[in-house]
Amino acid sequence: AASPHVTAASIMMNAARQAMRRLGRGGAVAVCTGLGAFSAVAMGTSVAVAEDSSYTKILEISERLQRIEKSLNVKATALKEKFGAGFPGWTKENKSLVKKHLTTDMYEELKDKMTPNGFTLDRAIQSAVDNQDSGVGLYAGDEESYAVFAPLFDAVIEDYHGGYTPSSKHVSNMDATQLKGNADPEGNYVISTRIRVGRNIRGLGLSPGCTRAQRREVERLVTNGLSQLKGDLSGNYYSLATMTEADRKQLVADHFLFKKGDRFLESAGANRDWPESRGIFHNQEKTFLVWVNEEDQMRIISMQKGGDAKEVFERLARGIAAIEDQVKAAGREFAHNDHLGYIHSCPTNCGTGMRASVHVKLPNVGKHPNFKKWCNQLRLQPRGIHGEHSETTGGVYDISNKERLGKSEVALVQTMIDGVQTLINAEKALASGSPLPSALE
């Protein structure tokens, strides 16, 4: 039996940490819990927890115990640990922003704090711990994570978003009429245009920290709202868990089907209960899509062939407004504030949560040694057409806005239009031996 001065949850949390340090994440811990009772046995690689022997699951159980104890007004002191005993072990090669900004003092200040939804600092940084090659490594389990763990989130956000301070204010503008120009009016270079944003509903946990019930409620709310869309936005929802084989094959052929998150999202806890409560909505024309419960609760996407970004953005704006109307009709609202804009599970996406991109043919520009430098000058992000870290195919690149936070949606789409136009002009110049555009000289 546990000491009357120590809670079951705190014993469990400490034992889980110690066991995982001894075994690594490949081991398992057999757990028997109850208020005032705990036993743990290291079992190598065997599965001993009812559904999930992962460290994340153990932490979830301990956090639920803490909430129960709090509701029962259990008063107890936490187990004493040596200062810094739980601080993550980093490799020399680790370049993550979590490693850069998380000090031992900060860890000690935040490690025992918990959001109302039960999310902890250790869960927020777990992806950086598991994946030492992370670039950022930090995830929010709910909107409150940004406040409860503000010392770390603020530092990472300021670093990643180029000096965006805790007192900075975000701006939003979805007025498509303010956009000017077309990057490729003749249609010789831009193959397709795609603009997406993320949205999450206030009061329901983000993917790394939501409960199973919250994820189901997100799907219920969103799909009910999507079923009310009219005109060119109307369409059908396909659940990943129950779709037919014929629907699955068609979604794969259309390149609409999203997969289980990568190892970074896996460690963050975003893949739990896969594929339950996940799905895809698209309109009849296949130019408007919504991914439900992927990395964020909603990924809202507008796309079409060619380079008319204004038309793509206008459809996106209408779709977002229509979905927000349905969310409000259900008594909910999007998670948003004046500082961080629209809240996302990854702090790199806060603000607009928007990625405006084109697939564009740049065979000569892409081979130029200054290609990445030019993109950086133009505040653009280049990647292969198969996603981040992929290589180009046939000189075709995915080019998008680099920034997310502190600038409006209209401003970022305009940056993409102007920048891609400059790169196309450079492509023409390199092909003909003419001088490069002045913006790149």
Side-chain angles (χ1 to χ4, degrees):
S3 163
H5 302 293
V6 183
T7 68
S10 61
I11 295 173
M12 185 175 183
M13 180 78 78
N14 185 65
R17 286 172 175 160
Q18 296 299 325
M20 292 306 293
R21 287 173 194 151
R22 290 194 300 271
L23 295 173
R25 291 187 67 84
V29 177
V31 181
C32 175
T33 65
L35 288 175
F38 171 86
S39 65
V41 181
M43 301 191 62
T45 57
S46 66
V47 176
V49 178
E51 293 182 356
D52 186 349
S53 62
S54 70
Y55 178 55
T56 300
K57 187 67 175 179
I58 296 169
L59 290 182
E60 286 181 352
I61 296 170
S62 70
E63 287 156 7
R64 288 172 188 164
L65 279 172
Q66 289 183 49
R67 292 199 293 274
I68 293 169
E69 289 162 348
K70 184 178 180 180
S71 69
L72 294 175
N73 202 27
V74 175
K75 302 291 185 182
T77 56
L79 286 174
K80 292 291 184 182
E81 282 186 348
K82 183 179 178 181
F83 184 86
F87 189 75
W90 305 119
T91 63
K92 291 181 180 179
E93 295 77 20
N94 189 305
K95 300 291 193 301
S96 72
L97 294 185
V98 168
K99 178 187 176 183
K100 179 178 178 180
H101 294 289
L102 182 66
T103 64
T104 306
D105 285 341
M106 186 188 292
Y107 180 83
E108 288 294 320
E109 174 192 350
L110 301 176
K111 68 181 178 66
D112 294 321
K113 293 186 176 183
M114 183 185 296
T115 69
N117 201 48
F119 202 69
T120 62
L121 174 69
D122 278 318
R123 291 176 66 185
I125 65 172
Q126 192 64 52
S127 189
V129 176
D130 290 349
N131 302 285
Q132 297 278 331
D133 57 342
S134 294
V136 177
L138 184 64
Y139 289 89
D142 44 39
E143 183 176 2
E144 293 79 7
S145 296
Y146 287 96
V148 174
F149 312 116
L152 180 57
F153 274 92
D154 286 349
V156 168
I157 287 169
E158 184 168 354
D159 192 328
Y160 183 87
H161 292 284
Y164 193 84
T165 69
S167 62
S168 299
K169 300 293 184 184
H170 180 69
V171 292
S172 183
N173 181 2
M174 295 293 294
D175 185 358
T177 64
Q178 296 182 24
L179 291 174
K180 298 178 176 64
N182 185 324
D184 181 28
E186 293 84 18
N188 296 323
Y189 295 89
V190 175
I191 299 169
S192 62
T193 302
R194 179 181 186 269
I195 307 177
R196 62 89 166 155
V197 299
R199 291 292 186 269
N200 293 281
I201 300 171
R202 175 161 286 145
L204 298 173
L206 305 176
S207 63
C210 68
T211 64
R212 190 176 296 114
Q214 287 173 336
R215 193 185 302 109
R216 289 170 178 168
E217 178 63 3
V218 167
E219 184 183 39
R220 186 191 71 80
L221 283 171
V222 174
T223 55
N224 282 350
L226 292 172
S227 69
Q228 303 301 313
L229 296 183
K230 306 297 182 184
D232 65 328
L233 298 178
S234 66
N236 298 300
Y237 178 73
Y238 303 88
S239 165
L240 265 62
T242 62
M243 70 174 61
T244 66
E245 181 62 16
D247 286 337
R248 189 194 68 80
K249 287 182 177 179
Q250 186 59 55
L251 290 167
V252 168
D254 291 331
H255 304 289
F256 291 171
L257 192 68
F258 63 87
K259 300 177 181 179
K260 195 173 186 178
D262 60 18
R263 57 190 169 92
F264 301 96
L265 289 170
E266 177 72 35
S267 294
N271 290 342
R272 290 167 298 134
D273 304 313
W274 186 273
E276 184 187 302
S277 302
R278 279 88 169 182
I280 299 162
F281 169 92
H282 68 73
N283 66 348
Q284 302 302 326
E285 293 77 17
K286 300 183 179 180
T287 56
F288 181 74
L289 286 76
V290 181
W291 290 354
V292 179
N293 283 324
E294 193 231 11
E295 180 176 337
D296 287 296
Q297 293 171 8
M298 285 173 274
R299 285 284 171 91
I300 306 172
I301 306 163
S302 178
M303 61 187 187
Q304 67 187 44
K305 298 293 185 183
D308 193 344
K310 185 174 182 178
E311 185 175 328
V312 173
F313 185 74
E314 186 275 333
R315 183 189 306 111
L316 178 74
R318 283 192 293 112
I320 293 170
I323 292 170
E324 185 170 20
D325 286 345
Q326 295 301 321
V327 170
K328 288 180 177 178
R332 296 279 188 171
E333 62 183 347
F334 288 154
H336 175 277
N337 63 54
D338 291 341
H339 170 52
L340 292 175
Y342 291 99
I343 302 300
H344 291 72
S345 60
C346 181
T348 64
N349 282 323
C350 282
T352 61
M354 190 184 75
R355 186 172 184 273
S357 64
V358 295
H359 282 184
V360 56
K361 293 179 278 189
L362 299 171
N364 294 295
V365 165
K367 290 186 292 186
H368 197 282
N370 290 335
F371 175 47
K372 290 185 178 179
K373 176 184 174 182
W374 290 343
C375 287
N376 191 54
Q377 282 178 235
L378 298 168
R379 305 198 303 281
L380 299 175
Q381 181 180 45
R383 59 173 69 170
I385 60 172
H386 300 297
E388 195 170 7
H389 309 306
S390 67
E391 298 297 322
T392 181
T393 301
V396 178
Y397 291 87
D398 182 305
I399 306 291
S400 67
N401 59 295
K402 187 175 184 179
E403 298 152 304
R404 302 280 189 274
L405 182 61
K407 295 185 178 180
S408 74
E409 292 84 355
V410 164
L412 295 181
V413 175
Q414 192 66 57
T415 293
M416 186 274 288
I417 293 171
D418 296 342
V420 169
Q421 189 171 53
T422 299
L423 291 176
I424 290 174
N425 289 337
E427 178 67 27
K428 293 176 180 177
L430 290 172
S432 63
S434 305
L436 289 168
S438 58
L440 302 181
E441 291 176 350

